């Protein structure tokens, strides 16, 4: 396997005697889109700040693009793009001027700047002062600034704040394009339905620990005993045929291994109940968070 773009090993942080981050370890590889999920105060933003040396860690190792952030910080962060909490701008300048100033660090051409402006949907307002931007527009500009250097690692902390439905779609398309190029992406958001549509992996955080890691592409296929939804002509006698089912007028849900599906279908056919479709009820990130953390996000 290729070396990870981001390697985090036994990350720890205390404030006074209180453990804030406890033995956090994970790897993120090229093309991964990894979601940090957890309730408010779980430690998501603190971990991200420790990764980037924006806060002092008590112990642990962080390697980014092959460089140790403690020993070679400049090279470690050279190919990173990031939005941490609220992106910062020169508010009295235009959006374009903000991009031009950052582009000078990376020798980005004007054509590339125009391409990014088009990508984030700010073409009509890019020459306005940032102070006149809405929250959603500022978030779009922040994303533009984060990806202007074509980063190998992109870290986004709550990038969906202020975005409307069009903004969500824009972000999703950008992340998918970056993923196709091999960019490794770490994204934290409280809008779990959006992460469900974007991430191939999720790390679940509680009380400063990663308490579970899920590979969406694998876990949703290999879940074994899960709920299946059967769409049928009627459900009047379903309770007589099967135990522990959830009923509606035209569907019922049953918990079973996939090997039992042919037996269920056979029983339905014998009882002259037409079957229109059968599909698994896959767990959402909301389901997983409730299951692992014992509660909902804030």
């Amino acid at each position: 396997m290729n070396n990870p773009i981001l390697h985090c090993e036994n990350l720890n942080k205390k404030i006074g005697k209180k453990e804030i981050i406890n033995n956090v370890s994970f790897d993120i590889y090229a093309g991964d889109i990894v979601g940090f999920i957890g309730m408010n105060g779980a430690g998501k933003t603190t971990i991200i700040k420790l990764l980037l040396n924006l806060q002092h860690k008590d112990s642990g190792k962080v390697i980014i693009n092959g460089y140790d952030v403690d020993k070679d910080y400049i090279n470690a962060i050279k190919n990173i793009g990031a939005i941490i909490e609220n992106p910062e701008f020169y508010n009295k300048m235009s959006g374009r001027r903000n991009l031009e100033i950052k582009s000078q660090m990376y020798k980005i051409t004007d054509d590339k700047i125009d391409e990014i402006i088009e990508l984030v949907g700010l073409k009509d307002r890019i020459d306005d002062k940032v102070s006149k931007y809405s929250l959603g527009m500022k978030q779009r500009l922040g994303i533009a600034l984060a990806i202007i250097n074509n980063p190998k690692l992109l870290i986004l902390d709550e990038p969906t704040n202020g975005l409307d439905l069009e903004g969500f779609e824009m972000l999703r398309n950008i992340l998918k394009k970056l993923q196709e190029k091999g960019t490794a992406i770490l994204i934290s958001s409280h809008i779990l339905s959006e992460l469900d549509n974007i991430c191939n992996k999720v790390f679940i955080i509680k009380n400063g620990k990663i308490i579970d890691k899920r590979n969406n592409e694998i876990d949703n296929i290999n879940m074994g005993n899960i709920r299946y939804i059967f769409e049928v002509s009627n459900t009047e006698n379903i309770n007589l045929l099967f135990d522990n089912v959830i009923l509606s007028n035209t569907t019922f849900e049953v918990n079973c291994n996939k090997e039992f599906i042919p037996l269920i279908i056979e029983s339905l056919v014998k009882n002259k109940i037409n079957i229109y479709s059968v599909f698994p009820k896959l767990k959402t990130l909301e389901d997983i968070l409730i299951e692992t953390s014992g509660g909902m996000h804030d």
Side-chain angles (χ1 to χ4, degrees), residues 128-144:
D128 293 351
K129 288 184 178 180
V130 174
S131 58
K132 296 180 180 179
Y133 282 11
S134 67
L135 177 59
M137 291 167 61
K138 287 181 178 179
Q139 204 69 359
R140 287 170 182 258
L141 181 60
I143 292 165

Side-chain angles (χ1 to χ4, degrees), residues 1-7 26-34 65 152-154 178-179 182-186 200-201 203 215:
M1 182 178 284
N2 295 329
N3 291 327
I5 299 293
L6 171 59
H7 171 71
F26 61 89
D27 291 326
I28 300 179
Y29 293 87
D32 274 343
I33 303 182
V34 176
N65 294 317
K152 292 182 180 177
L153 173 65
L154 179 63
L178 292 172
Q179 182 186 37
T183 305
I185 302 167
L186 174 61
N200 65 304
K201 297 177 182 176
F203 299 158
N215 186 324

